[in-house]
Amino acid sequence: MRLGQCGPPGKAGPTESGSESTMSEAVRTMMRMDAEAAQETAAQANAGFLWDFWYPAVRSTELAGQKLATAMLLEVPLVLGRTSEGNVFAMRDSCPHRGMPLSYGRLDGKVVECCYHGWRFDACSGQCVEIPSLSSQDKLRVDRIFAGHYPCEERDGYVWVYMNSPGSKLPETIPAAPALTVFSHKYKITHLSCELPSHIDHGIIGLMDPAHGPFVHQSWFWRKRASIHEKAKQFEPIPNGFRMSPHSPSTNSAPYQLLQKITGEPVTTTIDFVLPNIRTEEDRSGKLWFSSRATVTPVRRDLCRIDFVAAWNLVFLPVTIFKMFGKAFLRQDQQTMINQAEGLKHNPRLMLIDDADRPAKWYFSLKANLIESRRTGAPMVHPMSGPVTLRWRS
Ligand code: FES
Ligand SMILES: [Fe+2]
């Protein structure tokens, strides 16, 4: 994609500078602030986040009119809005002058104005367009000052923000934001979300963990604990992730049984996980389909958020009914993670076992190998050498 949906990307902070001999107090102050920003960058780098990816920040519906919304991604505070032309934008929620959150300011459809001294920034590029206090004597180049600014795209009802790593320049081109796969023109779509008081890694391995189903998700509409049985599933490597190869889903899950009864055709399910945080599932039976995506997004190192979107063309499944079951399902996961967080506070030793925890091991290896390949510039090594069958009881 072309960078900056509504203008070129901005820089990470103030860009005014001066030579040693002419260095003003203002520039020295800025340099001190840069040093503090560098410390913050190092802290963020150690938080176990994966930078240079798209993350969903807010729902599209939250950006209406001249409202400014806030979000936090990877411990970066963001202010988001929509220009009068309808384009979404995301800036660091911090004025480059003296750090006032820009979200306390106002948006006039094109420009965000800080509430403290009225500095004005172009919403689409973060570029400063006016400093009201400057007199005709002042030589400060206003256009060289930028508020932190991030690429921003809308997909499937979410506003996605491309979180380039702190202190780095955006590349010329970046991939398009992720989009949910759909298989017909007409379909229903719905969104659910919940917060987990966990580090992103625990959120993600909780998402892909097959063995908790019979214990956490017991319910009349899904499955019973007694239905636990041995399973064998084939997995294959895909770029930046792995796929549970297309298969007929578990016979102990009621919704899949129902689908097969209606179409009279086999149900096939394909489940992918790709870095940094995306699990997709596609279920198809004849002309009927169901497609979902769950992302686990790091908010802070001790907080992440699941965003779940599902689309389907099953006429017999109203959004309200699906939402009711989906919410109950997510609440079960959420309560489990809240309880687990209590135990994790004391830094216990943990273990991952074969085969039920193998996907979690792949996740950690994928993440480590990606970071290593970015560091060295060498191609990323995939932790799987080919298809493999995993067996577990669930
Ligand atoms: S802090 Fe924003 S204009 Fe001064
Ligand atoms: Fe779960």
Side-chain angles (χ1 to χ4, degrees):
M1 67 164 277
R2 201 174 60 79
L3 281 186
Q5 189 180 28
C6 51
K11 300 193 178 125
T15 53
E16 277 290 304
S17 62
S19 69
E20 272 303 315
S21 54
T22 60
M23 193 188 288
S24 68
E25 190 52 39
V27 172
R28 256 189 230 108
T29 308
M30 274 183 187
M31 289 180 73
R32 256 199 317 274
M33 286 172 170
D34 282 349
E36 279 158 21
Q39 276 172 9
E40 187 191 343
T41 302
Q44 282 166 330
N46 293 332
F49 302 147
L50 280 179
W51 298 89
D52 303 312
F53 281 108
W54 289 97
Y55 291 96
V58 293
R59 290 283 311 283
S60 288
T61 47
E62 286 179 56
L63 304 185
Q66 305 203 331
K67 190 180 152 219
L68 291 170
T70 57
M72 181 168 280
L73 294 178
L74 290 69
E75 297 187 353
V76 175
L78 297 172
V79 55
L80 301 108
R82 190 185 292 282
T83 65
S84 46
E85 285 170 350
N87 296 320
V88 289
F89 64 85
M91 295 161 94
R92 192 179 173 96
D93 193 14
S94 177
C95 178
H97 180 212
R98 301 245 300 275
M100 174 64 74
L102 290 169
S103 52
Y104 287 126
R106 62 188 188 94
L107 167 68
D108 73 358
K110 195 171 181 296
V111 165
V112 175
E113 183 182 286
C114 180
C115 69
Y116 201 174
H117 312 94
W119 290 24
R120 288 161 61 78
F121 303 92
D122 179 74
C124 291
S125 64
Q127 189 171 34
C128 187
V129 293
E130 188 186 344
I131 296 181
S133 63
L134 291 183
S135 72
S136 54
Q137 308 293 304
D138 280 303
K139 299 238 164 8
L140 187 67
R141 289 277 305 277
V142 169
D143 59 342
R144 292 181 64 188
I145 298 173
F146 285 81
H149 190 262
Y150 296 87
C152 200
E153 290 271 324
E154 266 181 303
R155 292 273 188 291
D156 312 318
Y158 294 102
V159 178
W160 294 75
V161 178
Y162 188 82
M163 298 302 292
N164 62 303
S165 51
S168 76
K169 269 204 165 155
L170 273 172
E172 282 292 298
T173 54
I174 54 175
L180 184 70
T181 311
V182 295
F183 300 95
S184 57
H185 287 303
K186 284 183 90 175
Y187 56 85
K188 297 188 175 95
I189 187 163
T190 191
H191 306 79
L192 289 166
S193 98
C194 79
E195 287 191 333
L196 308 173
S198 320
H199 186 269
I200 179 66
D201 290 343
H202 283 292
I204 285 183
I205 67 175
L207 186 77
M208 62 176 58
D209 161 22
H212 74 287
F215 300 91
V216 171
H217 298 300
Q218 292 172 40
S219 53
W220 62 267
F221 67 88
W222 188 252
R223 53 170 306 156
K224 296 187 175 52
R225 179 172 168 173
S227 68
I228 191 166
H229 66 280
E230 188 157 328
K231 290 174 186 164
K233 297 270 158 68
Q234 184 176 301
F235 288 81
E236 57 196 271
I238 56 174
N240 271 359
F242 50 88
R243 166 170 298 162
M244 190 190 282
S245 312
H247 63 285
S248 295
S250 173
T251 48
N252 56 359
S253 295
Y256 297 124
Q257 287 175 357
L258 179 67
L259 195 54
Q260 182 148 6
K261 255 192 206 131
I262 291 168
T263 62
E265 295 194 47
V267 184
T268 55
T269 292
T270 309
I271 299 174
D272 286 358
F273 172 80
V274 289
L275 289 178
N277 65 345
I278 303 179
R279 178 199 191 270
T280 54
E281 175 168 345
E282 293 167 13
D283 305 310
R284 306 192 69 176
S285 176
K287 282 198 171 125
L288 299 184
W289 60 269
F290 178 92
S291 172
S292 71
R293 179 187 64 220
T295 51
V296 190
T297 295
V299 177
R300 303 186 307 254
R301 66 197 75 190
D302 61 347
L303 183 69
C304 56
R305 191 188 63 243
I306 298 184
D307 291 299
F308 178 83
V309 55
W312 63 87
N313 71 341
L314 321 170
V315 276
F316 55 88
L317 180 57
V319 167
T320 45
I321 299 289
F322 177 82
K323 254 192 148 144
M324 195 171 77
F325 289 130
K327 266 187 196 161
F329 202 83
L330 270 184
R331 248 197 315 268
Q332 291 167 339
D333 280 320
Q334 187 185 36
Q335 190 55 51
T336 305
M337 303 297 280
I338 290 171
N339 296 352
Q340 187 196 19
E342 248 180 65
L344 292 176
K345 258 192 258 163
H346 311 290
N347 231 354
R349 276 179 67 97
L350 307 173
M351 58 171 90
L352 295 174
I353 62 163
D354 280 328
D355 279 353
D357 293 332
R358 191 91 68 88
K361 292 184 184 179
W362 289 332
Y363 163 69
F364 284 115
S365 300
L366 281 165
K367 193 174 164 184
N369 296 0
L370 175 73
I371 291 168
E372 183 60 10
S373 102
R374 283 177 173 178
R375 193 183 65 80
T376 60
M380 177 178 160
V381 179
H382 200 291
M384 302 168 73
S385 53
V388 46
T389 300
L390 300 186
R391 291 167 211 283
W392 66 79
R393 281 169 54 79
S394 70

